[in-house]
Amino acid sequence: MSDGDKNGGDKPEALPEVWPEAERAESLARGAALKWASGVFCRPEHLERLGQYRKRESQRTSSIQSRLKSVVQSYLEGVGWGLEQLREAREELKEVSRALGKAGVESSRNAEGVKALEMMREVSVNHCQLLAAVSNLPRLYSVQSMVSETERLVESRRLLEAHARLMELECWQDDILWQLHGAGAPGTAGTALSTQDEELVRNYFSGVGKLVEALGKELWAVVGSGLALARQNPTPFVSAVRIVEREEALDQAMLEERGGAGGHSRPLPSGRPRCWRERFFQVLEEAVSARFRSVSYLHTRGPGLAGHLSALQHGIMGDLATVRHLLDHCVPPHYNLTRAYLRACHRCLQSHLGQVSGWELESGEIFAVLNWVLHIYNSSDMMGHPDLMVEMESEELGPLISQECLEQLQNKYVHSVRKSVSEWMHKALEVELTDWQRDQEPDTDHEGFYLTSLPTIITQLWQCCVSFMLEENARVALMVSESLRDQTIQMGLYEMENLLNRFREALVEFGKEHRRDQSTNQNKFYLHYLLASISNCIILKTSTESLQQQLSSRSASRFSRTPPGPLAALDRAVRRACRLVMDQLLLELQPFLQGLLSRSWLAQGDVMVTLKLCGVLERHFELYSRVRPPCRQRLQEECQWLTVVEYVRVLMQKRLVCRNAEERRQLAQRMALDAQHLRDLFQGLEVEGSVSEVNPMALLPVLADFIRLKDPSMLTLEVSGLVAKYPDISDEHVSVLLDVRGDVSRDVRGTVLDLLEQSTPPLPAGYRPIFSDILVPTPSMPFCLPTAKCA
């Protein structure tokens, strides 16, 4: 421990001069050791293990010292090797420095010799330029004559010879410019040509540039008229193609030479590359578009547009046949001339039809365009031709007009057709209203049914604007798209609905006018024209149903507004016309109905009133036979219904109240006799059965039996049967019938009415109410004195 203390005491005096941090490190180490020892030897009994700790620490210290020695040894060996390398590098640098000094001395000695070589180079360049000038003098003297001769060859369309001379002239010009650059002198790098010298050469060869323009002009004129030349003499066209290929090869060679020769490549001559092959196809497309330039709206209005499109079809197909059979053999295969001509035609047609679509076209013109675009253009007569399909699929060309333009044309077509249809229908309705005022019966068809001009005009109209597209033949149905067809049919249905609504309103006004003029009896054929209108509606219904059947199954989902309802409008018009017919019948029956079921009628026992009433019905039935089924049966049924209802309504007015059993018997007998007269009339006129389950003619005998019943106590049973047959009968109706009998006591009346109130069965399916149409007159209240008590 004393040795360690001694060594530790010596270090603080020597280390700070070499290692300033050593003192602080040792202080930290001592503090850590004391902290460790105070924790381990905190008790006296722990001192027994002091020897073990001392031995372990000694071993650790020895191990650390040995590792430090090995590290220091390896470090010293590396430092020695590095010092050796530095000594060798210093020797090599000395040798390099001596070599550079010798080279500098030699370079200064050769500086004067380089100046002499510069003068030699200038003399060599001048010599090369003079040599080029001397060697090119014959060419220079012959340039003007060659230019003139080439001009004559171009004017005479000897294009191949002219192009050969032109190539020679261009070669001379390029060689002279290249020689003037000095690239021809051996062992030289060339010098830049002055702008003045280059301008001098180009001015001297200025005729060459004009020759290029003249040759190009003649060349493109030949290419543009290639179709005409192919049919007569294709030699000029072949010459033009050969010249184009020569120029294309020259362009390619010059570009390759310029890209692969490094720093000694010639610059591209002025105007190169000419790209005449690309220009060839541009001129071809310009020639195709030339046929559309002279077309104007004034020359193609009306039928002229269809003729123009037809001329385009034949012209294009003729040109394509010429290209395919003649011109295609005059060009290299890689030109794909037929395909290129197809594309050019398609692009020109796209532009032309876009221009045509912007004109103010009428419906027939729009249809001609749509027909041509959607059907003719892609058919086997044009682009769908098998020989053309080999060259190019129609899908590669794309649509002839855009979808947006197509929809605009379709909308414009539908709008134009709708305007025309609306005007036609308005005129047709005006003609119909004029016919109603004629002082003669309506016309009849071959079957004897009444008929006016309205259905004929409407049918002809549909044949013009719709049937032309849809029903003429199967091919025409493919001329337009399904969307346009559905739009046109929907438009027709909307217009038909509007016409029928106006027709119904005209019928109402016709009826009002007739009632106002009834006293003057101006329109004697009012009923006849009502019946003719009903027959017209039947014919229009057939046309409307035919239109609706032509709508595609997907059209209902494309309605932009409420779907048209022409059949509903037609049914309303028919109902209104039938109602007016029944009103007229009621008007004619009214004088005879006034004389029925009264006391005077019963006392006289005269059947003339009933016979006259039957005469009116017979005349009406005869007129109803001029109406087309099924409205004829409907009118006959309504006539029976009206007759019975009005007869019972007269009974409900209580004009006759029986005083005794004899009057009840007479009344029942007369009612049964009237019912028999009516039944015989309807059977004799071969009236078809009622569509309803209720036969109105069976009601009169039932009421007669009700009045004839002798025992009032049986009225309850009789009313039960009456309610079973006619469940819509009300207690007011039964009360009036009891009043007409005149022998029903208050108790029986109460019993019957109570029974009627308790037994109100629901109306069965298919039952047509009859008593609901018969209103019971409101009884007049008896006048009472203020001091009296009302019963």
Side-chain angles (χ1 to χ4, degrees):
M1 294 295 291
S2 62
D3 294 336
D5 294 340
K6 186 177 179 179
N7 292 334
D10 294 336
K11 288 178 181 177
E13 296 177 359
L15 285 177
E17 300 176 358
V18 182
W19 225 2
E21 295 84 0
E23 184 177 358
R24 183 170 176 271
E26 184 174 357
S27 176
L28 292 174
R30 287 180 180 277
L34 289 175
K35 185 177 181 180
W36 176 80
S38 63
V40 173
F41 301 107
C42 59
R43 292 183 181 182
E45 58 269 18
H46 292 166
L47 294 175
E48 297 176 357
R49 292 181 290 180
L50 179 61
Q52 297 177 2
Y53 286 117
R54 181 181 293 171
K55 183 178 179 180
R56 188 177 68 181
E57 292 300 324
S58 298
Q59 292 175 353
R60 182 183 297 174
T61 302
S62 300
S63 175
I64 291 173
Q65 289 177 352
S66 63
R67 289 200 299 271
L68 286 173
K69 288 179 181 179
S70 63
V71 170
V72 170
Q73 182 65 29
S74 63
Y75 176 73
L76 291 176
E77 290 177 356
V79 170
W81 181 82
L83 292 174
E84 184 65 25
Q85 294 294 323
L86 289 174
R87 283 193 294 271
E88 292 177 0
R90 185 179 62 180
E91 294 298 328
E92 291 177 357
L93 286 174
K94 289 180 180 179
E95 294 179 2
V96 170
S97 178
R98 287 193 295 269
L100 286 174
K102 292 179 182 180
V105 173
E106 293 293 331
S107 175
S108 60
R109 293 176 182 175
N110 294 329
E112 296 179 359
V114 171
K115 294 179 180 179
L117 289 176
E118 287 291 338
M119 297 176 61
M120 292 283 293
R121 181 182 295 114
E122 292 178 2
V123 172
S124 175
V125 169
N126 291 332
H127 176 74
C128 291
Q129 291 179 349
L130 292 173
L131 179 63
V134 171
S135 61
N136 286 310
L137 280 177
R139 296 181 180 179
L140 292 174
Y141 282 122
S142 61
V143 165
Q144 298 302 326
S145 61
M146 285 191 66
V147 168
S148 301
E149 184 179 356
T150 306
E151 287 178 350
R152 289 193 297 271
L153 292 175
V154 171
E155 291 173 357
S156 60
R157 282 203 172 181
R158 296 165 63 182
L159 301 181
L160 284 176
E161 298 178 34
H163 186 255
R165 299 296 179 88
L166 179 62
M167 290 174 62
E168 188 175 356
L169 287 171
E170 288 181 332
C171 184
W172 289 357
Q173 180 183 359
D174 295 342
D175 288 344
I176 291 172
L177 288 173
W178 180 241
Q179 290 171 7
L180 289 177
H181 271 285
T188 63
T191 59
L193 180 64
S194 66
T195 305
Q196 184 178 1
D197 294 341
E198 184 175 0
E199 188 67 25
L200 178 64
V201 174
R202 295 197 183 280
N203 289 336
Y204 191 78
F205 282 91
S206 61
V208 176
K210 296 178 181 179
L211 282 177
V212 172
E213 295 177 1
L215 179 62
K217 185 177 180 181
E218 290 295 327
L219 193 69
W220 306 136
V222 170
V223 173
S225 58
L227 291 173
L229 293 173
R231 300 185 182 98
Q232 300 171 1
N233 180 21
T235 303
F237 184 80
V238 175
S239 301
V241 174
R242 291 179 62 184
I243 292 172
V244 169
E245 286 301 298
R246 285 181 186 177
E247 289 293 329
E248 196 70 19
L250 282 173
D251 288 345
Q252 190 67 26
M254 290 182 179
L255 289 173
E256 291 177 356
E257 179 184 357
R258 185 172 181 268
H264 299 285
S265 63
R266 290 190 179 189
L268 280 175
S270 178
R272 293 283 182 181
R274 290 190 178 136
C275 303
W276 275 13
R277 185 187 294 168
E278 181 180 350
R279 177 60 180 160
F280 173 88
F281 289 105
Q282 291 178 357
V283 172
L284 189 70
E285 184 166 348
E286 290 174 1
V288 175
S289 64
R291 67 170 61 250
F292 305 108
R293 293 174 185 166
S294 60
V295 177
S296 66
Y297 179 48
L298 296 178
H299 296 155
T300 56
R301 293 191 65 179
L305 182 58
H308 166 66
L309 295 175
S310 178
L312 278 183
Q313 175 188 354
H314 292 92
I316 290 173
M317 293 308 294
D319 293 347
L320 284 172
T322 302
V323 171
R324 203 168 66 249
H325 298 303
L326 297 177
L327 285 186
D328 215 2
H329 302 292
C330 300
V331 298
H334 62 83
Y335 270 47
N336 292 322
L337 192 61
T338 303
R339 179 187 291 262
Y341 198 86
L342 275 172
R343 289 187 181 277
C345 288
H346 188 76
R347 285 193 291 268
C348 292
L349 280 174
Q350 282 179 325
S351 176
H352 179 60
L353 290 176
Q355 177 186 3
V356 171
S357 301
W359 295 345
E360 292 296 331
L361 302 177
E362 297 180 355
S363 59
E365 296 170 329
I366 298 173
F367 180 79
V369 174
L370 292 174
N371 173 29
W372 202 86
V373 169
L374 299 177
H375 174 68
I376 296 178
Y377 184 71
N378 293 318
S379 68
S380 58
D381 295 333
M382 280 197 73
M383 296 306 174
H385 194 279
D387 295 338
L388 298 181
M389 295 291 288
V390 175
E391 297 291 339
M392 179 179 291
E393 296 290 338
S394 59
E395 289 77 8
E396 298 181 34
L397 296 174
L400 196 54
I401 59 177
S402 64
Q403 184 65 29
E404 180 182 0
C405 183
L406 181 64
E407 292 178 357
Q408 290 177 356
L409 277 178
Q410 291 180 353
N411 294 334
K412 190 185 296 184
Y413 173 78
V414 174
H415 178 74
S416 177
V417 172
R418 181 166 194 168
K419 182 179 179 182
S420 300
V421 169
S422 180
E423 291 176 356
W424 271 81
M425 288 188 170
H426 183 71
K427 293 179 181 178
L429 188 57
E430 289 182 350
V431 173
E432 177 73 5
L433 297 181
T434 305
D435 289 345
W436 290 352
Q437 305 301 327
R438 293 193 305 173
D439 193 17
Q440 62 182 29
E441 270 192 280
D443 299 331
T444 57
D445 59 10
H446 64 284
E447 297 178 299
F449 299 126
Y450 281 144
L451 183 71
T452 61
S453 58
L454 180 65
T456 304
I457 296 175
I458 298 301
T459 304
Q460 291 176 352
L461 175 63
W462 289 126
Q463 288 175 351
C464 292
C465 68
V466 178
S467 298
F468 173 74
M469 291 193 303
L470 305 175
E471 297 176 357
E472 188 174 288
N473 51 53
R475 290 185 61 192
V476 177
L478 298 175
M479 290 181 182
V480 293
S481 64
E482 183 178 340
S483 174
L484 177 60
R485 182 192 66 179
D486 290 343
Q487 289 182 35
T488 306
I489 295 176
Q490 290 171 15
M491 175 275 301
L493 294 175
Y494 279 122
E495 289 302 319
M496 180 67 79
E497 181 181 6
N498 293 335
L499 171 70
L500 291 172
N501 288 333
R502 293 196 300 269
F503 182 74
R504 181 172 59 87
E505 295 171 359
L507 285 174
V508 174
E509 188 62 31
F510 186 45
K512 292 180 180 179
E513 182 180 355
H514 175 71
R515 286 192 294 272
R516 285 196 301 266
D517 301 337
Q518 185 176 358
S519 59
T520 59
N521 196 18
Q522 290 184 355
N523 197 338
K524 297 183 295 185
F525 299 98
Y526 167 74
L527 180 60
H528 303 72
Y529 281 102
L530 285 178
L531 299 176
S533 299
I534 297 174
S535 293
N536 292 342
C537 291
I538 302 302
I539 299 175
L540 294 177
K541 180 180 180 181
T542 304
S543 301
T544 304
E545 289 176 344
S546 176
L547 281 179
Q548 285 189 325
Q549 290 172 0
Q550 292 165 1
L551 279 175
S552 64
S553 58
R554 294 173 293 175
S555 62
S557 61
R558 293 197 293 262
F559 280 117
S560 59
R561 54 193 179 107
T562 306
L567 292 180
L570 189 143
D571 185 63
R572 290 193 295 268
V574 171
R575 287 178 180 274
R576 175 55 59 184
C578 291
R579 183 69 262 170
L580 292 175
V581 171
M582 292 299 106
D583 289 345
Q584 181 64 21
L585 173 62
L586 179 60
L587 188 64
E588 296 183 18
L589 291 178
Q590 201 65 39
F592 307 105
L593 291 173
Q594 295 295 330
L596 292 176
L597 300 174
S598 62
R599 188 165 298 279
S600 60
W601 167 78
L602 182 63
Q604 294 175 0
D606 190 4
V607 296
M608 289 303 297
V609 176
T610 306
L611 295 179
K612 291 179 181 179
L613 186 145
C614 291
V616 173
L617 294 175
E618 185 175 0
R619 186 173 64 85
H620 271 258
F621 268 79
E622 183 180 354
L623 292 176
Y624 297 164
S625 63
R626 300 296 186 93
V627 180
R628 289 180 173 275
C631 286
R632 178 176 59 195
Q633 290 85 350
R634 179 176 179 176
L635 287 172
Q636 293 172 350
E637 178 184 349
E638 291 298 324
C639 180
Q640 295 182 63
W641 206 271
L642 177 69
T643 303
V644 174
V645 167
E646 292 301 322
Y647 193 97
V648 177
R649 180 179 284 114
V650 173
L651 179 63
M652 292 293 150
Q653 293 176 0
K654 296 192 294 185
R655 297 178 183 176
L656 176 61
V657 176
C658 298
R659 300 171 181 173
N660 49 50
E662 180 60 25
E663 288 187 357
R664 286 192 292 274
R665 184 190 64 78
Q666 292 179 4
L667 175 59
Q669 184 178 0
R670 289 295 303 276
M671 289 179 62
L673 182 61
D674 290 345
Q676 185 62 39
H677 281 304
L678 293 175
R679 189 182 300 109
D680 294 341
L681 171 66
F682 294 141
Q683 291 178 354
L685 295 174
E686 298 180 355
V687 178
E688 299 182 13
S690 172
V691 178
S692 173
E693 294 183 0
V694 179
N695 182 8
M697 295 307 303
L699 177 59
L700 297 183
V702 171
L703 295 180
D705 293 339
F706 183 86
I707 295 175
R708 184 185 293 113
L709 188 64
K710 298 179 180 179
D711 187 0
S713 61
M714 298 296 292
L715 286 175
T716 304
L717 182 61
E718 190 71 20
V719 170
S720 300
L722 189 62
V723 171
K725 290 182 180 179
Y726 304 98
D728 63 319
I729 191 171
S730 64
D731 52 354
E732 290 86 356
H733 296 109
V734 174
S735 179
V736 171
L737 292 175
L738 295 177
D739 291 340
V740 171
R741 283 184 56 89
D743 63 340
V744 181
S745 63
R746 181 176 299 177
D747 296 337
V748 174
R749 179 187 295 270
T751 303
V752 170
L753 294 180
D754 291 341
L755 173 66
L756 187 62
E757 184 177 356
Q758 294 173 3
S759 59
T760 54
L763 300 181
Y767 174 81
R768 178 179 176 180
I770 186 170
F771 280 96
S772 301
D773 296 335
I774 304 172
L775 299 179
V776 178
T778 303
S780 57
M781 294 297 296
F783 176 75
C784 298
L785 293 174
T787 57
K789 184 178 180 181
C790 294

